[in-house]
Amino acid sequence: MSETELPYAVVIPTVGRPSLNVCLAALAESVGPLPRRVVIVDDRPLDDCNPLPVTVPTALCERVEIVASCGNGPAGARNAGWSATTEPWIVFLDDDTLPSGNWARELARDLSRAGPEVGGVQGHIRVPLPSHRAPTDWERCTASLATARWITADMAYRRQALEAVGGFDERFRRAFREDSDLALRVKDAGWTLVVGDRQTEHPVRRTDRWVSVRAQAGNADDVLMTRLHGRGWWRRAGARRGRLPVHLAVTGAAVAAATCAVARRPRAAGACAAVWLAGTAELALTRILRGPRNAREVTDMLLTSALIPPAACGHWLRGWWRHRQVRPWKACSVSEPTPTGGGVSRPSVRPVARERVRGWR
């Protein structure tokens, strides 16, 4: 299939991580029709005035544009990216993914097979894990991307489908649930979503021991998903249920133990503390037994397992308060979006910083 038969654009949000250059190199070297346009969305905050650290391969020099989204988050960055294109298909990639050597050719096959009712085609994500030991907690978390539905690590959407639902909901400020929300709204609007044959690798990035605690911020996004799509959204989106009910019980036991201690009720305080300790130990043991069980991993699991339940509860309460006025999503409400309603704002029409990149080496 020639480029004239497959007009597609690639949108890559980034905050300037070194993995962006590796992603672009893999995209340029992939066999098959190159994208007509590659939009790199610089989502660094406004106070970062340094040039975006990017090296564009020669094959993509005349096709790359850089658009600034000013730290609005992944959803806002993707909206800025796809609204800067005119192609009928937009492929979203993360800046830490590696398209396979045949990715472009397989993408052409995926899109050519898509009937007019298909609004999106997902790629297969492969997460390389160590073969000489059990994966760590963070590696297992990253590996779950391989079975996640409709994730924008590699997801192609038809422009008509994006326009029909107003793009990504920018109330999702983190790289979490914004892709599930979009997929549910696209399906509600009458489109179908399918899985293609192309493959993309998503390596496990390096991080610190507190990443699992920071990840509990996703509980606030789950509140927004429930407000928009009802309690059954887990099943429709193919998402796994978290441990929030258990976290609430464990945290409640800790609060009750402290309250009883202040009230000088030692027996009640001891009983509540035992419940907290049992819940924390169960979480830590579950995570430790699935991992490599080395000293560093065991230490990390013990420390973070004590912090995860209260962090999850705190973010859940924050989400409940922040999104308390959000109304359910209605497919018919797209034409008249409201700030707190079921519809979402269409991609911003405000001018964005845009740069055509030429002559890169």
Side-chain angles (χ1 to χ4, degrees):
M1 179 176 291
S2 67
E3 290 184 51
T4 57
E5 295 172 320
L6 183 63
Y8 74 97
V10 171
V11 172
I12 308 176
T14 187
V15 290
R17 295 187 293 189
S19 57
L20 172 64
N21 292 329
V22 184
C23 175
L24 290 173
L27 179 62
E29 294 169 3
S30 181
V31 177
L34 290 172
R36 284 192 175 178
R37 192 191 321 255
V38 178
V39 180
I40 301 172
V41 187
D42 182 356
D43 197 41
R44 295 176 300 169
L46 280 173
D47 57 4
D48 188 345
C49 300
N50 296 315
L52 183 68
V54 58
T55 301
V56 179
T58 302
L60 299 178
C61 280
E62 297 298 316
R63 304 166 189 264
V64 169
E65 293 183 14
I66 298 178
V67 171
S69 56
C70 307
N72 284 329
R78 293 192 183 101
N79 278 343
W82 77 264
S83 60
T85 70
T86 58
E87 286 71 21
W89 282 98
I90 297 96
V91 185
F92 296 100
L93 292 175
D94 285 351
D95 70 350
D96 56 352
T97 56
L98 293 173
S100 68
N102 293 321
W103 183 85
R105 183 164 57 195
E106 292 169 348
L107 172 69
R109 188 181 303 116
D110 289 345
L111 300 187
S112 65
R113 291 174 179 172
E117 77 286 352
V118 174
V121 185
Q122 180 181 350
H124 288 276
I125 302 297
R126 187 179 73 85
V127 179
L129 295 175
S131 58
H132 61 285
R133 59 165 174 79
T136 64
D137 183 72
W138 173 239
E139 289 168 343
R140 292 194 302 272
C141 179
T142 305
S144 66
L145 297 175
T147 56
R149 283 188 186 177
W150 324 129
I151 59 171
T152 42
D154 182 355
M155 185 72 191
Y157 272 106
R158 197 185 294 271
R159 170 175 296 279
Q160 290 175 300
L162 292 172
E163 291 175 343
V165 300
F168 291 86
D169 189 334
E170 298 184 15
R171 289 172 293 190
F172 291 93
R173 301 285 296 179
R174 303 173 61 253
F176 191 69
R177 303 303 190 204
E178 84 289 354
D179 41 16
S180 297
D181 166 72
L182 176 63
L184 292 183
R185 289 187 286 111
V186 168
K187 295 176 76 172
D188 286 344
W191 300 89
T192 60
L193 301 177
V194 300
V195 178
D197 294 328
R198 68 190 186 278
Q199 296 191 13
T200 299
E201 184 176 295
H202 194 302
V204 180
R205 62 179 172 85
R206 297 186 58 139
T207 187
D208 58 56
R209 65 174 22 152
W210 308 112
V211 62
S212 58
V213 179
R214 293 194 299 271
Q216 301 311 309
N219 284 280
D221 300 313
D222 286 346
V223 173
L224 179 55
M225 287 291 290
T226 301
R227 296 287 192 190
L228 292 171
H229 303 286
R231 296 185 180 277
W233 73 265
W234 301 90
R235 174 182 51 80
R236 295 180 57 213
R240 295 184 302 174
R241 295 296 299 265
R243 293 173 56 104
L244 181 63
V246 178
H247 293 332
L248 288 170
V250 171
T251 304
V255 173
T259 303
C260 291
V262 171
R264 298 183 179 180
R265 300 176 60 184
R267 290 185 179 180
C272 293
V275 172
W276 168 81
L277 181 60
T280 301
E282 183 274 332
L283 175 60
L285 186 61
T286 298
R287 300 168 73 204
I288 290 171
L289 292 178
R290 297 176 62 192
R293 307 183 196 178
N294 54 42
R296 177 179 175 81
E297 180 74 359
V298 170
T299 301
D300 290 352
M301 296 304 97
L302 290 174
L303 290 174
T304 56
S305 293
L307 298 176
I308 284 175
C313 296
H315 286 296
W316 176 75
L317 289 172
R318 176 176 61 84
W320 178 84
W321 177 257
R322 183 172 187 176
H323 305 303
R324 66 192 183 280
Q325 295 182 344
V326 172
R327 292 177 293 176
W329 150 259
K330 300 292 184 183
C332 60
S333 68
V334 178
S335 59
E336 296 184 61
T338 59
T340 57
V344 298
S345 299
R346 292 188 181 278
S348 174
V349 296
R350 67 183 183 277
V352 293
R354 187 180 304 180
E355 178 182 353
R356 171 70 72 175
V357 181
R358 299 182 185 274
W360 287 76
R361 291 180 174 84

PDB file of all heavy atoms in Angstrom, residues 14 46 57 128 242 352:
ATOM      1  N   THR A  14       5.145  14.133  24.709  1.00  0.00           N
ATOM      2  CA  THR A  14       6.413  13.927  25.387  1.00  0.00           C
ATOM      3  C   THR A  14       6.676  15.035  26.384  1.00  0.00           C
ATOM      4  O   THR A  14       6.132  16.142  26.260  1.00  0.00           O
ATOM      5  CB  THR A  14       7.578  13.859  24.370  1.00  0.00           C
ATOM      6  OG1 THR A  14       8.782  13.499  25.052  1.00  0.00           O
ATOM      7  CG2 THR A  14       7.771  15.205  23.685  1.00  0.00           C
ATOM      8  N   LEU A  46       5.263  25.627  31.058  1.00  0.00           N
ATOM      9  CA  LEU A  46       5.685  26.879  30.427  1.00  0.00           C
ATOM     10  C   LEU A  46       6.995  27.415  30.988  1.00  0.00           C
ATOM     11  O   LEU A  46       7.721  28.127  30.294  1.00  0.00           O
ATOM     12  CB  LEU A  46       4.582  27.930  30.590  1.00  0.00           C
ATOM     13  CG  LEU A  46       3.401  27.831  29.612  1.00  0.00           C
ATOM     14  CD1 LEU A  46       2.327  28.829  30.013  1.00  0.00           C
ATOM     15  CD2 LEU A  46       3.862  28.078  28.189  1.00  0.00           C
ATOM     16  N   PRO A  57      15.193  11.671  12.892  1.00  0.00           N
ATOM     17  CA  PRO A  57      15.859  10.933  11.820  1.00  0.00           C
ATOM     18  C   PRO A  57      15.651  11.596  10.461  1.00  0.00           C
ATOM     19  O   PRO A  57      14.633  12.259  10.221  1.00  0.00           O
ATOM     20  CB  PRO A  57      15.184   9.551  11.872  1.00  0.00           C
ATOM     21  CG  PRO A  57      14.601   9.452  13.248  1.00  0.00           C
ATOM     22  CD  PRO A  57      14.224  10.846  13.625  1.00  0.00           C
ATOM     23  N   PRO A 128       8.982  -6.428  27.476  1.00  0.00           N
ATOM     24  CA  PRO A 128      10.064  -7.383  27.772  1.00  0.00           C
ATOM     25  C   PRO A 128      10.346  -7.447  29.269  1.00  0.00           C
ATOM     26  O   PRO A 128      10.516  -6.419  29.922  1.00  0.00           O
ATOM     27  CB  PRO A 128      11.261  -6.808  27.005  1.00  0.00           C
ATOM     28  CG  PRO A 128      10.963  -5.349  26.870  1.00  0.00           C
ATOM     29  CD  PRO A 128       9.475  -5.219  26.784  1.00  0.00           C
ATOM     30  N   GLY A 242      -9.474  -2.589  41.311  1.00  0.00           N
ATOM     31  CA  GLY A 242      -8.401  -2.402  42.264  1.00  0.00           C
ATOM     32  C   GLY A 242      -8.762  -2.916  43.647  1.00  0.00           C
ATOM     33  O   GLY A 242      -9.783  -3.577  43.842  1.00  0.00           O
ATOM     34  N   VAL A 352      -1.551  27.342  19.171  1.00  0.00           N
ATOM     35  CA  VAL A 352      -0.504  26.609  19.865  1.00  0.00           C
ATOM     36  C   VAL A 352       0.803  26.834  19.142  1.00  0.00           C
ATOM     37  O   VAL A 352       0.837  27.072  17.941  1.00  0.00           O
ATOM     38  CB  VAL A 352      -0.823  25.089  19.911  1.00  0.00           C
ATOM     39  CG1 VAL A 352      -2.031  24.831  20.768  1.00  0.00           C
ATOM     40  CG2 VAL A 352      -1.043  24.527  18.511  1.00  0.00           C
TER      41      VAL A 352
END
